[in-house]
Structure formats: C-alpha cells, structure tokens
Amino acid sequence: MSYSNKRLSLVAAACALVSTHAFAEDSSLTNPNISAVLDGFYQTGDRGLGGRNEGFGLGETELAISANIDDMFYGKVTAILESHDGETEIELEEAFIQTMGLPGGLGIRAGRFLSDVGYLNNQHLHTDAFVDRPGAYRAFMGGHYFDDGVRLTYVAPTDLYWTMGVEAFKGDKMRAEDEHGERDFDTVGVYSAFTKFGGDIGLSSSWQVGLSYLRNSNGQGVVEGEDEHEHDVIADDDHDHEGHTHSASYTGENTYIADFVYKWAPNGNYKYQHLTVSGEYFRVNDIFSFEEEHDHEEHDDHGEESHNDYHEGWYLSSVYQFSPNWSAGLRYGEVDTFEAHGDHLDAQKLKETELSLAWHHSHFSTVRLQYTNQKGTNFDGFEDDNIVTLQYVMTLGAHGAHQF
Amino acid sequence: MRINSKTLIAIGALFSSFLAGSANAQLNVFACEPEYAALSQELAPDAKVYSATSALQDPHQVQARPSLIAKMRQADLVVCAGADLEIGWLPMLQMKASNNKVRSTDNGLFYAAEHIETLDQLENVDRSMGDVHAKGNPHLHFDPSRLLQVADALSAKMTQLDPDSATSYQANLAAFSEKWQKAIPQWEEKAAGLKGKKVIAYHSSFRYLFNWLGMEQVADLEPKPGIPPSSSHLAKLVSRSQEGDVMAILFTSYQDDRGANWLGERTDLPVIMLPMSVGGNDDSKDLFSLYDSVISLLTEVQ
C-alpha cells in the first residue's frame, strides 16, 4: 500500500508541475498532438457548387497541432493545404483557444474555428462518409463555415443532453456578392445562436437534434434596377460557382438550420456494425433587396413577390458500417436557390443522389468508391451527370477523437 | 474568521445543490468501464455511479455521444482505466462536457493505470504495429493485486473529493480489501491447474489474467492489436493450434465470435467466451462473481 501512496503523491506532484498531463494523456508540454490527413482522389466529372473536379486531385491536406496550453486553456491550429489550378494554397482552418476551467458548464472559444451551427459543420471533412459535403453545405456554408470570432457555450446539468451557444464572427466569407465594390459591410457580419438536445434510447440507440439561427448582416444581395441591367451580358457561367472558393455561394440575411442524427449499434458496441442516419434542412431568407428605379406601383408588386423568395436545401444520409472493414452510404440532397439576373431572380435547382462504399483497413485508413448522380435545373450547366470518384483518406499521427 | 467557514459552506452547499438540482451530497461518479463502476460502488455504496460503457461494448470504440456528455457534465469524479484506452473518446467528452471538476487528476479525474505498473509498456510505438498502447496494457482489472492497489488509490481520491465521508470510505475500503484478499488464495487454488496452460486469445484483453494465473497466450486472433482477424491470419493459426498443446480459444463479450468459431471448427478446440467485465455474462454481477465466472469457465475446459 505504501507503494501506491508514494506513487499517488508522485503523480499528484507531477500533475501540479505539469498540469497538461491531466487532460489527455497523449498531449503534454513537450508532446502536443500532431496529425496530418492525406486525401487524394480520381473523379470522372465535375461536381457542382464548388465540389471536386474531374481527374486526379488532392482534397484538403490537413496539418493539425493541438495541446493544452495550461490548466485553463486548450489550443489548436489546423492548416489546410490545397492544390488548385496548379497552385498550392495554404489556409488556416482553425487557430483557436478554448477555455477548459470555467465553472457552471460554460466554455469560451476564440480565434478562428468551425461554427457550431448545424450537425456537420463543426466536424472535419475527412470524417465524412462521402467525398464532398452535401450540396446545401456547399451552397450556403462554403463547404463548412469557419471564421474569426468568439463563441460562448453552456451545457446544462441535466440527464438529457442540452447545450446552447452563441457566436459572433467577422463574416467575410458569408458576404453577398459585391460586384462594384461599393457596399459598406459590417465588420462583425455574422451572429449565430444554436441549441442541441440528445440522449439514448435503450442500449443500442442514440440521438441528437439541433436548431440553429444565423444572422448575416452582409448576406442580403442587391438586385439592380432595370437601367443597369443587360440580359445578354450576364450569362450563366459568368457566375463563378465552379471556381474554388471557401465562401458561401448563396447568401441571405437570415439562415435557419434544423438537424438530427440517429445512431444505432447492437448493444451500443460500435466495433463491428453501426448505422448512422442524419439529415439537415437549411432555409435562407431575405436573400435580395431591390434597388428601385422604376415606378412605384410596379415595384410594390414585384418587390413583395420577390421578398418571399428564399434559398432552401436539405439532405438525408444513411451510412451503415457492416463490418470493421466495410461501410456503405446513401445520401440524397436538394438545393433550391435564386440567382439575380438584372432586375429579376432566376430559380435553379440541384439534386444529388450519392452512393458510397468504403474500405477501412484500420481506424486510420479509408479507401472510398462513390457514385454521384447530379441533376441540375438552370444550375451552372449541370443537367444529368453521373460521376464516379475513387478516394483515399488517411490519418497520420494523433488519434483524432470524433464527435458524435 | 468565525462567521466564515460554516456559513460559507452552508451557502456553498445550498448554491451547489441548486446547481446540481439535488440536495444529495453523495458523490456522482462517471466510470468509463463497468469494472470501475463496480469498484466505485464497492468503495462508495451510496454514490450515484454511472457506467459509460457496458461489458458488451468495446471501450476502444465508444462514441462521444450526447448522453455521455450530459452524464460527465454532472460528475464529481470520473474513473477510467487510462493508459490511453479511452483516448478516442474521453478527451472529446471532457471538451464537450465543460465540467472543470473532472478535468484534472489533481481533482476529480482518476486513471487506474497511473497507480500500478502496467504490463507491456513500449518504448517506441508505430501505427504499423496496430492500435497498441505505449503506456502498457490498460486491461488491468484482471490482476487482483493490481486492482487492490487501484482500490486503495481510488478510495484516497474519494476522500480527497468528499472529506466529510472519510471514515466511511476507509471502512468500505477495509471491508473490500479484506474480502478481496480472502478471495485471492481461493481463486488461485481453484485455478492452480491452469498454470502453464496455453491458449489462443483475442486482443490482449486477458493479459493480466494470464500473467496472474501463469497461463500463456501462444497466438492472437488479431493479426495486430485493433486489426480484426483476417482469413490469412486465421489460416496460420490453424497449424499453430494443431501442435496439440493449446487448451482453448478465448474471446470476450464485446468481440466478434466468428474468427474464434472458424478456428474452433477447424481445430476441434473448445471456444469460450469470457466476460470482459461486470455484466459480460449472467453470472458476473460484481467484481467477485466476475472473477469466479472467468475462473470457472476456464477450469471447466480442462
């Protein structure tokens, strides 16, 4: 017994000196978590809304370092390397500090980080069961929305999981198009509020639902008056939605997101088989204001009608891991958006049906084959395309804990 | 000085009871595995104990699911095996639960493996070796003397967090230790015939048990830790099994029986499922009956 007591006091002393030891055994002052994610693919066609392009390519190559800073703060830096049109871009996806010692279930995150709205947004792309984010994410969140800002969260001390949070962001990526560079944008452009509930049903099932609201003061686009409008000049492909960008392609002033996820595993044992069903719905309101130049009566009619327009998108995804080595997924999603052409809005629609089959040699390596059918209506020239993608996603270094 | 302590404690207790939604001062324990839930219950019978996993769940692969975040948010004490067993999900829970009481081993966090000498520690770990733990094998609860050391340290931790109940923790530890120390020679006597027996097992789940009882695991159903049995690997095991010295093929409650059964059918060796923890079979209702059950299952094969 004296042995263990001695050991205990040694441990306590060590913890007092190096409290990083206390949080996670894998990271310490001299040994932060370092990880890299390699993502490469071959694809037979172009995917809409900033998805992957035809041919060989690299996805997001991710480099991340994280560790406890001291007993109060945790920090993480994630750099993304992307190769696009022959150029390698480096972008900081995360560079944040997170409080670890606040009482009462409170937490603050500051810096650059992934917004916690919706279900998928705060998860890293390489944890997805499909090659690209659903169309709704690519349309309204720029794939996944990360930005410079601050977040406050609260977790309630209840058996039913209940968390709430508010965020404020710079919002540059969520700005509406500003062709003439003449708009006055708010410097804190995006505010969000979200809440999530979750729990278990028996031994085998777990669930979570969430509601989010995102206020984007710079999100409303401007439709110009008839004088400046020339139909013939603005062709579909003038709008660079195919181009590589992390910015949202379609914006509005108010975004509402509803999400759910349900997971099932026999007796809650995720090792051999488990099923995940998830879905999200996005509605983006107040998408355009009309710069008025024609006569009143006409404007009122037109204006009222157009103000009821909104962007909308959703997806439903189901992934079944039927052995430790194999998983299959099916996802269907739609995006309905409006594009301003002169003084009027053109409706467009994209439907995606996706089927993926993945082979996992271990937790750290995945090879995925995915078939996508995308059907577009007035959507950047996409009509009815079939795309096949072969992709690998592999993780080096620290064992990344994945969120529910 | 006179107003202070008692009034402050009273106010603090009132305040924290509002926050916790309960006036019960008993410890709220979050155990990562059922063996530590059972041990916590032995040492603090009045505590509110929650087990994050069952014996039917692989603790390497737990999801940081909402119900666990909610439970950890309310915990005064988190008791885990440690040695990186929960590395895939515990840090995420700690981050999400925003409970500063259970963040540090200075306070309400307890890793069993920090209080004993683990077996099979590795100097260098590489992923090509599979999902191995550099800090040694974390499945230490099948070593009775190591478990007793852990009980000792856990009792001290409970006393640190809840000094008012110090005497009751001491009494519970004394009662448990006495009963446990009496049981050890009985188990050893019953298992005497197992000494030197060779088995094929799955993962290093029973490393400490074999070490204690003097048994030898001559082959592993997993080609590498965390890599499921492959047909080519199993085929190799067939020839090993046919050397005639293997007593049985063992796997545990959360492991797939297919590889074990496949090998059993080809070698005519008995295939036995041993409970990994309390609740792993009908007989294992606490730590004592878990040990009883495991030793009975093994001795019945002989």
Side-chain angles (χ1 to χ4, degrees):
Chain A
M1 297 305 131
S2 66
Y3 164 76
S4 75
N5 282 338
K6 199 169 150 198
R7 171 107 187 173
L8 179 64
S9 59
L10 275 176
V11 168
C15 287
L17 289 170
V18 191
S19 42
T20 44
H21 184 74
F23 169 58
E25 293 199 329
D26 60 325
S27 71
S28 67
L29 214 55
T30 51
N31 183 30
N33 282 321
I34 299 175
S35 69
V37 178
L38 302 177
D39 172 353
F41 66 90
Y42 176 80
Q43 188 162 290
T44 63
D46 289 333
R47 212 184 301 270
L49 283 168
R52 290 171 201 241
N53 290 335
E54 187 170 345
F56 284 108
L58 294 177
E60 291 194 344
T61 301
E62 181 187 303
L63 276 168
I65 301 177
S66 66
N68 290 326
I69 294 161
D70 54 26
D71 56 341
M72 184 69 191
F73 297 104
Y74 165 88
K76 186 173 183 191
V77 182
T78 306
I80 299 290
L81 285 93
E82 266 174 304
S83 165
H84 203 81
D85 294 333
E87 285 182 29
T88 302
E89 300 166 11
I90 300 183
E91 181 155 32
L92 266 184
E93 186 179 85
E94 289 177 308
F96 67 81
I97 57 160
Q98 163 85 44
T99 63
M100 304 299 280
L102 289 188
L106 296 169
I108 294 170
R109 183 171 288 199
R112 177 173 297 181
F113 53 92
L114 293 156
S115 168
D116 215 355
V117 296
Y119 168 60
L120 275 182
N121 197 67
N122 64 12
Q123 313 218 6
H124 286 275
L125 296 181
H126 65 261
T127 66
D128 289 9
F130 299 89
V131 170
D132 276 314
R133 280 275 143 103
Y137 266 93
R138 279 141 51 212
F140 307 130
M141 308 295 278
H144 57 327
Y145 178 47
F146 55 92
D147 205 344
D148 300 350
V150 65
R151 165 158 87 215
L152 173 70
T153 51
Y154 169 73
V155 185
T158 46
D159 279 351
L160 179 78
Y161 171 63
W162 181 25
T163 185
M164 285 163 272
V166 287
E167 300 170 324
F169 290 112
K170 202 168 174 178
D172 288 4
K173 277 188 258 253
M174 299 291 258
R175 285 180 178 176
E177 264 184 76
D178 181 27
E179 268 179 74
H180 308 297
E182 61 197 9
R183 274 185 71 171
D184 234 353
F185 288 115
D186 289 356
T187 48
V188 181
V190 170
Y191 293 91
S192 81
F194 57 86
T195 187
K196 292 171 193 199
F197 298 91
D200 289 344
I201 307 165
L203 266 180
S204 306
S205 302
S206 303
W207 59 276
Q208 181 181 284
V209 295
L211 282 173
S212 310
Y213 167 69
L214 201 136
R215 167 87 185 174
N216 181 0
S217 54
N218 302 325
Q220 196 168 43
V222 176
V223 175
E224 288 157 3
E226 201 155 307
D227 298 349
E228 296 170 46
H229 154 232
E230 275 179 49
H231 245 295
D232 306 335
V233 178
I234 303 170
D236 266 354
D237 31 15
D238 271 7
H239 296 263
D240 189 22
H241 293 309
E242 288 178 65
H244 174 71
T245 173
H246 280 297
S247 299
S249 310
Y250 298 92
T251 59
E253 206 161 61
N254 298 297
T255 302
Y256 303 88
I257 311 168
D259 62 84
F260 82 94
V261 54
Y262 168 85
K263 295 195 184 190
W264 173 88
N267 291 314
N269 190 11
Y270 280 78
K271 181 163 182 167
Y272 299 101
Q273 39 180 314
H274 55 94
L275 173 75
T276 302
V277 179
S278 60
E280 284 180 82
Y281 170 78
F282 288 71
R283 179 168 167 149
V284 183
N285 285 2
D286 306 301
I287 54 179
F288 286 103
S289 68
F290 287 81
E291 220 172 54
E292 205 23 60
E293 315 221 343
H294 25 173
D295 77 79
H296 249 246
E297 223 172 293
E298 201 189 332
H299 161 65
D300 279 350
D301 273 6
H302 193 101
E304 203 170 311
E305 196 188 324
S306 301
H307 276 271
N308 288 334
D309 291 329
Y310 54 86
H311 303 312
E312 185 178 42
W314 61 273
Y315 72 88
L316 194 61
S317 149
S318 170
V319 181
Y320 183 47
Q321 169 150 355
F322 48 94
S323 86
N325 294 128
W326 292 94
S327 66
L330 178 64
R331 186 171 75 187
Y332 179 77
E334 290 186 7
V335 180
D336 290 271
T337 55
F338 287 96
E339 188 82 80
H341 283 157
D343 67 342
H344 67 282
L345 302 179
D346 285 345
Q348 46 185 17
K349 190 179 188 81
L350 186 69
K351 297 178 182 177
E352 288 178 324
T353 310
E354 297 169 284
L355 199 61
S356 82
L357 180 69
W359 174 69
H360 316 274
H361 176 64
S362 71
H363 292 308
F364 313 104
S365 60
T366 297
V367 178
R368 176 176 296 121
L369 181 67
Q370 180 171 318
Y371 162 76
T372 301
N373 173 259
Q374 55 181 6
K375 279 197 170 75
T377 310
N378 300 326
F379 218 116
D380 294 343
F382 293 109
E383 285 182 345
D384 186 351
D385 303 326
N386 295 308
I387 303 169
V388 175
T389 314
L390 186 61
Q391 180 203 22
Y392 65 76
V393 182
M394 310 211 171
T395 313
L396 290 71
H399 190 302
H402 291 163
Q403 304 189 40
F404 179 75
Chain B
M1 287 308 269
R2 277 199 68 231
I3 347 167
N4 56 23
S5 57
K6 272 192 180 171
T7 328
L8 278 181
I9 287 169
I11 292 171
L14 196 67
F15 189 60
S16 63
S17 72
F18 274 121
L19 280 179
S22 141
N24 193 341
Q26 294 304 331
L27 280 183
N28 190 328
V29 182
F30 177 104
C32 286
E33 292 87 21
E35 56 270 22
Y36 297 109
L39 185 62
S40 301
Q41 206 77 75
E42 295 276 358
L43 300 174
D46 298 330
K48 191 176 166 188
V49 179
Y50 174 77
S51 180
T53 57
S54 81
L56 305 178
Q57 299 171 357
D58 189 332
H60 300 82
Q61 293 188 24
V62 169
Q63 296 259 326
R65 50 188 210 274
S67 57
L68 300 188
I69 301 169
K71 293 290 186 188
M72 185 172 278
R73 164 72 175 89
Q74 303 173 72
D76 303 305
L77 171 60
V78 170
V79 184
C80 300
D84 290 351
L85 175 61
E86 302 92 356
I87 198 72
W89 51 282
L90 190 59
M92 182 60 72
L93 284 183
Q94 287 176 310
M95 179 84 82
K96 293 238 155 196
S98 297
N99 180 354
N100 61 353
K101 286 191 286 184
V102 296
R103 186 93 61 207
S104 150
T105 46
D106 293 352
N107 303 315
L109 180 61
F110 182 90
Y111 287 127
E114 285 189 357
H115 302 279
I116 56 116
E117 189 81 37
T118 55
L119 295 175
D120 305 333
Q121 294 184 26
L122 295 168
E123 295 260 317
N124 291 302
V125 171
D126 186 290
R127 279 279 173 68
S128 63
M129 297 156 78
D131 204 358
V132 293
H133 304 279
K135 287 167 185 155
N137 188 316
H139 311 290
L140 56 98
H141 61 288
F142 276 116
D143 182 315
S145 24
R146 281 182 167 89
L147 194 67
L148 203 54
Q149 287 177 36
V150 170
D152 199 36
L154 182 56
S155 180
K157 175 58 78 180
M158 287 171 165
T159 308
Q160 177 202 333
L161 297 177
D162 177 21
D164 291 350
S165 311
T167 45
S168 100
Y169 293 130
Q170 269 158 20
N172 296 331
L173 175 66
F176 174 75
S177 299
E178 197 192 328
K179 205 174 150 197
W180 194 253
Q181 273 163 337
K182 245 183 218 163
I184 293 174
Q186 290 167 12
W187 286 321
E188 285 174 349
E189 194 189 330
K190 196 171 161 191
L194 293 170
K195 192 165 256 174
K197 294 285 181 196
K198 292 174 179 169
V199 290
I200 291 175
Y202 195 138
H203 195 66
S204 47
S205 305
F206 295 105
R207 175 73 176 92
Y208 290 88
L209 181 77
F210 301 152
N211 182 56
W212 170 40
L213 300 179
M215 297 170 68
E216 193 187 341
Q217 179 174 340
V218 293
D220 197 321
L221 288 164
E222 289 181 326
K224 280 168 185 171
I227 307 285
S230 62
S231 38
S232 61
H233 178 69
L234 288 172
K236 272 186 230 162
L237 295 188
V238 172
S239 55
R240 177 64 191 88
S241 323
Q242 284 163 344
E243 283 176 32
D245 56 349
V246 175
M247 177 183 92
I249 299 160
L250 307 176
F251 68 102
T252 189
S253 41
Y254 58 70
Q255 288 160 347
D256 189 16
D257 60 3
R258 278 177 296 183
N261 285 335
W262 185 94
L263 190 60
E265 280 163 23
R266 271 152 193 84
T267 56
D268 283 331
L269 285 172
V271 177
I272 315 162
M273 194 276 280
L274 297 182
M276 188 61 198
S277 188
V278 175
N281 63 4
D282 290 344
D283 295 332
S284 305
K285 295 188 194 318
D286 57 17
L287 289 167
F288 292 93
S289 52
L290 172 68
Y291 272 57
D292 287 339
S293 175
V294 165
I295 290 173
S296 299
L297 285 165
L298 284 175
T299 48
E300 278 161 20
V301 198
Q302 278 186 269

